[in-house]
Amino acid sequence: MTVRTPTRPPGAGVLRRAAARRDTGAAIPRRTVPWAQRLRRDYPLALMVAPAVILLLLFVYVPLLGNVIAFMDYQPYIPILQSPWAGLSNFTALFTDAAFWAAVVNTLEITAIQLVLFFPVPIALALLIHSLVWPWLRAVVQSVLYLPHFLSWVIVVGFFQQSLGSAGIINRWLRELDIHTINILAEPSTFKLLLSAQVIWKDAGWGTIIFLAALAAIDDSLYEAAAIDGAGAWGRFWHVTLPGIRPIIVLLLILRLGDALSVGFEQIILQRSAVGPGAAEVLDTYVYYHGVIDGNWSTGIAAGLIKGLVGLVLILAANKAAHMLGEQGVYAKS
């Protein structure tokens, strides 16, 4: 009589050993797949992403090599390698230039004002849109709010000039009523607030897209459970809505801090002549006028390099703060 031993399913030993390691707390080794095998497996995805990677390499990473000009006495009519090395003299000239520090101060002030005034507006608009009951009304409001984003800054600035300029509609009404007129677009003291108002009008609606997606991902049963527990509207917002969108808020805030020294080149250069460089000179316009127009290429590249390094430091610091607060941030903590 033949006794047949029961057969085990394929992979049972592997699963049993993995369970034993998990129970004992031992690390489970990962199975490494050879690079050639992964390439054969994922080549359709690689082909799909190849054009974007090529464009990124050609127009983002390869131009980064041009930052070496910041350490040279560069002249645009001779090859780069034939330009004499200047060491850190361009950075020394930059740090001793009062116009550079004035541009830094203006840039930081505009960034701070926009963080306070602009950043909360898309969140508030997303909450209001999400609270609308009728889907058709929600679609209409979203379409109206999205529209200004697709207008160029030339059109937006022209719209504000026709409304708030010296010959604008508001000043014409004031003249008809024999009231003192004011050219808000040419007032240096309110120029930074004007920039923030323009950014809010143009991009606040577009910024609601991500927050609306985060709000839609919140389970409705959480609101029902909170209501059963006696939570009112404010309690449901504080304990359900805010935790649901907090990771997105932290992520966008980190990305905004990384781009803190870029406050809108096109928007500002279109209005710089009206208020003067004292109020409108930022780092981007400084690089353009002092680096490109005046021919100080090396100094302009040095200013751009400092701007990029400061942005990188701000992103890393903000991401570290997010990890300390329990959020994932831009990248997960290792």
Side-chain angles (χ1 to χ4, degrees):
M1 180 177 177
T2 304
V3 179
R4 304 183 64 180
T5 58
T7 58
R8 293 180 298 175
V14 176
L15 295 176
R16 188 174 64 253
R17 288 192 295 271
R21 291 192 183 97
R22 185 171 60 249
D23 294 337
T24 58
I28 300 176
R30 293 184 179 180
R31 181 181 171 220
T32 57
V33 181
W35 181 83
Q37 182 178 347
R38 283 184 292 168
L39 182 62
R40 287 194 301 269
R41 181 190 64 192
D42 300 330
Y43 80 91
L45 298 177
L47 291 177
M48 182 177 65
V49 78
V53 173
I54 293 173
L55 289 175
L56 190 67
L57 290 174
L58 291 179
F59 295 101
V60 176
Y61 287 101
V62 172
L64 288 177
L65 299 175
N67 285 325
V68 71
I69 295 174
F71 304 94
M72 294 178 172
D73 184 12
Y74 174 72
Q75 300 297 328
Y77 304 107
I78 62 176
I80 293 180
L81 297 179
Q82 296 181 10
S83 299
W85 289 94
L88 299 177
S89 61
N90 293 318
F91 294 91
T92 302
L94 197 65
F95 291 145
T96 56
D97 187 2
F100 170 75
W101 291 110
V104 171
V105 171
N106 285 335
T107 303
L108 295 177
E109 288 180 353
I110 294 173
T111 299
I113 292 174
Q114 291 185 0
L115 279 178
V116 174
L117 298 181
F118 171 75
F119 191 79
V121 174
I123 303 174
L125 287 176
L127 293 172
L128 291 174
I129 294 173
H130 186 71
S131 65
L132 296 176
V133 178
W134 297 313
W136 66 267
L137 180 59
R138 185 182 305 176
V140 171
V141 172
Q142 285 180 268
S143 301
V144 173
L145 292 176
Y146 293 168
L147 181 61
H149 173 77
F150 299 99
L151 303 177
S152 68
W153 275 115
V154 176
I155 297 176
V156 173
V157 172
F159 171 80
F160 273 80
Q161 287 177 344
Q162 295 299 321
S163 302
L164 304 176
S166 59
I169 297 175
I170 295 178
N171 276 329
R172 276 185 286 175
W173 287 347
L174 294 177
R175 291 191 190 96
E176 292 176 359
L177 297 174
D178 293 330
I179 300 176
H180 176 68
T181 61
I182 181 173
N183 186 4
I184 300 177
L185 298 181
E187 184 62 37
S189 60
T190 60
F191 180 69
K192 298 179 178 64
L193 293 175
L194 175 67
L195 292 179
S196 299
Q198 292 172 347
V199 173
I200 291 173
W201 185 83
K202 185 177 187 295
D203 289 329
W206 184 256
T208 61
I209 295 177
I210 297 178
F211 295 108
L212 285 173
L215 290 170
I218 300 176
D219 192 353
D220 291 336
S221 62
L222 297 177
Y223 291 103
E224 296 174 1
I228 293 173
D229 290 339
W234 175 253
R236 292 193 295 271
F237 168 77
W238 186 259
H239 296 289
V240 179
T241 304
L242 189 58
I245 64 175
R246 185 173 58 193
I248 300 298
I249 294 176
V250 172
L251 176 62
L252 294 181
L253 183 59
I254 292 173
L255 295 177
R256 181 65 190 94
L257 288 176
D259 202 31
L261 300 184
S262 297
V263 289
F265 174 76
E266 298 90 350
Q267 177 192 11
I268 294 177
I269 201 171
L270 289 170
Q271 305 173 86
R272 182 177 180 270
S273 59
V275 295
E281 191 78 293
V282 294
L283 282 175
D284 288 336
T285 58
Y286 176 87
V287 170
Y288 175 72
Y289 284 103
H290 292 264
V292 179
I293 300 300
D294 294 344
N296 299 319
W297 297 89
S298 299
T299 305
I301 295 295
L305 184 59
I306 292 173
K307 172 186 168 184
L309 292 176
V310 171
L312 176 62
V313 171
L314 287 176
I315 282 185
L316 295 177
N319 201 74
K320 181 66 175 178
H323 290 166
M324 295 174 63
L325 295 174
E327 299 293 341
Q328 180 175 348
V330 178
Y331 54 87
K333 184 177 181 181
S334 58

